[in-house]
Amino acid sequence: MIQEITGIHHVTAMTSSAEKNYDWFTNVLGMRLVKKTVNQDDIQTYHLFFADDEGNPGTDMTFFDFPNNPKGSKGTNDISRSSFRVPSDRALDYWLKRFEHYNVKHSEIKEQFGVKTIQFEDFDEQQYQLVSDENLDGVAPGKPWKDGPVPEAFAIYGLGPVIVRVSDFDRMATVLEDTLGFRKVSTEHQYTLYEMGKGGNGGRLIIEESTMLPAARQGYGNVHHVAFRLDDRSALDQWTEKLSELGYANSGYVDRFYFESLYARMYPGVLFEFATDGPGFIDHQEDYTTLGEKLALPPAYETHREQIENMVRPIDTVRSTKTFEKEYFGFEGV
């Protein structure tokens, strides 16, 4: 029997500026840069990985910084919104204060599928939401960045549900239910909730049906792909075989060094990746203390380091010599 998909692994999006992106995730969202590397398919561009304290799977949002990339357009047949998990409803109250302080465009607290949320966007109009883990079991979260600016009781510590907007719900439902083995949980208006693995916020995909909007156009401010978690290479090989047998065009095995991958476009405009939980981001190049501080290159690219460093502009991401004061905004002692 094929090994099941266990949750959301990571989400990869596109930014207009790696520098602004680093500042936003570090100082506003309080997420840790755990790897500063290059796009392995386009080595002149940065690939930044923001995650929890240790770079655990299921916690990282990553970004490509393509030079001269046009701004994307919102629409259908697209991964429309990414989510971040926080520990409690009280944490959402904290984030309202934090967003107001940093002039972040955001909604008030809403509820979707019994979970309290706040929607917000960044400088590229990339769409996000915070989701509360209050009274919710399922896929375990990661660990808050203990040395970041957000108090640990309120900090982001994992990825939540990914929202995909589609014009042909039945076609996507067939992919999710018949091929990927996701469980349909419930429907609210145009939204349908699916779960994978142990479920909960770390194992959810939400499909939004929209037949009126035009197709989205890729570019900065949009998501490039979502990756689903698999335990190991054995599971990855099983899924490669299954997708090929079903006639889905796929990349076959791809070694990303920090994890192993398989890519497949199973619905028009939406790219899915399947990624293993290991090996991870703590390696011979960077230990826990210095994660994300140097330009890290997989071994296959190390011999071209001088050439690559000349192509990508330097970005100062050293934090081990700095101290971030915790910002409480009146929530001290909570």
Side-chain angles (χ1 to χ4, degrees):
M1 185 174 179
I2 194 166
Q3 295 184 45
E4 72 171 352
I5 292 168
T6 60
I8 301 293
H9 187 282
H10 68 266
V11 175
T12 294
M14 292 164 284
T15 180
S16 64
S17 168
E19 291 86 348
K20 289 181 180 179
N21 185 242
Y22 170 70
D23 175 70
W24 166 269
F25 270 80
T26 303
N27 296 309
V28 178
L29 294 190
M31 292 180 68
R32 188 179 188 192
L33 181 70
V34 296
K35 198 61 64 177
K36 178 175 65 176
T37 185
V38 294
N39 181 347
Q40 295 179 29
D41 300 320
D42 185 1
I43 61 172
Q44 65 180 329
T45 65
Y46 273 116
H47 193 180
L48 304 182
F49 292 76
F50 301 94
D52 74 341
D53 191 59
E54 301 172 346
N56 287 302
T59 71
D60 55 310
M61 179 102 188
T62 92
F63 285 86
F64 295 139
D65 172 41
F66 293 118
N68 304 314
N69 195 26
K71 183 175 175 58
S73 66
K74 310 303 180 186
T76 192
N77 300 330
D78 187 46
I79 300 166
S80 59
R81 190 179 297 273
S82 309
S83 302
F84 301 113
R85 299 168 66 179
V86 294
S88 65
D89 293 351
R90 183 64 168 161
L92 294 182
D93 294 329
Y94 167 86
W95 279 94
L96 287 178
K97 294 290 188 182
R98 187 172 187 88
F99 286 157
E100 289 164 8
H101 177 80
Y102 283 103
N103 297 313
V104 175
K105 186 176 180 180
H106 64 88
S107 72
E108 294 305 310
I109 296 174
K110 302 179 180 181
E111 189 168 303
Q112 186 179 49
F113 297 111
V115 174
K116 290 187 176 180
T117 72
I118 300 173
Q119 296 183 348
F120 65 101
E121 62 183 49
D122 68 9
F123 56 92
D124 282 332
E125 299 181 319
Q126 183 82 235
Q127 305 293 296
Y128 309 98
Q129 65 181 9
L130 295 176
V131 295
S132 168
D133 273 351
E134 183 110 356
N135 300 320
L136 200 64
D137 296 322
V139 176
K143 300 178 180 179
W145 181 22
K146 64 182 182 182
D147 293 327
V150 180
E152 290 179 56
F154 310 126
I156 291 169
Y157 64 169
L159 292 177
V162 174
I163 299 176
V164 183
R165 187 185 293 130
V166 301
S167 60
D168 187 342
F169 175 81
D170 290 341
R171 182 171 180 176
M172 178 59 85
T174 297
V175 169
L176 300 183
E177 297 172 30
D178 296 348
T179 302
L180 300 184
F182 292 0
R183 305 179 299 276
K184 183 178 178 180
V185 177
S186 61
T187 298
E188 290 183 359
H189 307 293
Q190 73 270 36
Y191 298 95
T192 300
L193 172 64
Y194 285 89
E195 288 195 334
M196 65 200 88
K198 294 180 180 179
N201 278 330
R204 289 182 165 180
L205 195 73
I206 296 173
I207 304 301
E208 177 188 358
E209 183 176 20
S210 176
T211 58
M212 302 299 291
L213 292 174
R217 186 184 69 248
Q218 286 280 284
Y220 72 81
N222 284 39
V223 171
H224 189 272
H225 65 267
V226 58
F228 303 125
R229 290 176 69 174
L230 295 175
D231 288 342
D232 50 32
R233 173 68 185 276
S234 173
L236 191 70
D237 289 343
Q238 289 177 25
W239 278 97
T240 304
E241 182 178 355
K242 177 174 180 175
L243 295 185
S244 297
E245 288 177 350
L246 292 174
Y248 288 109
N250 64 81
S251 65
Y253 174 78
V254 180
D255 184 0
R256 293 304 189 194
F257 188 60
Y258 309 112
F259 44 84
E260 298 167 292
S261 294
L262 162 70
Y263 299 84
R265 202 174 292 279
M266 305 173 71
Y267 177 96
V270 179
L271 180 60
F272 289 156
E273 178 183 356
F274 303 76
T276 61
D277 276 358
F281 295 107
I282 298 174
D283 53 34
H284 67 284
Q285 296 187 39
E286 294 179 305
D287 61 16
Y288 166 81
T289 305
T290 59
L291 280 177
E293 296 193 359
K294 66 174 289 185
L295 179 64
L297 297 174
Y301 297 84
E302 190 60 50
T303 55
H304 305 288
R305 174 172 287 276
E306 183 176 357
Q307 174 192 359
I308 292 171
E309 288 181 340
N310 287 333
M311 287 191 290
V312 295
R313 61 204 180 277
I315 300 176
D316 181 7
T317 57
V318 174
R319 290 145 307 160
S320 57
T321 59
K322 301 175 183 178
T323 299
F324 289 94
E325 297 295 333
K326 298 295 185 186
E327 298 169 310
Y328 286 92
F329 304 115
F331 285 77
E332 289 86 350
V334 178

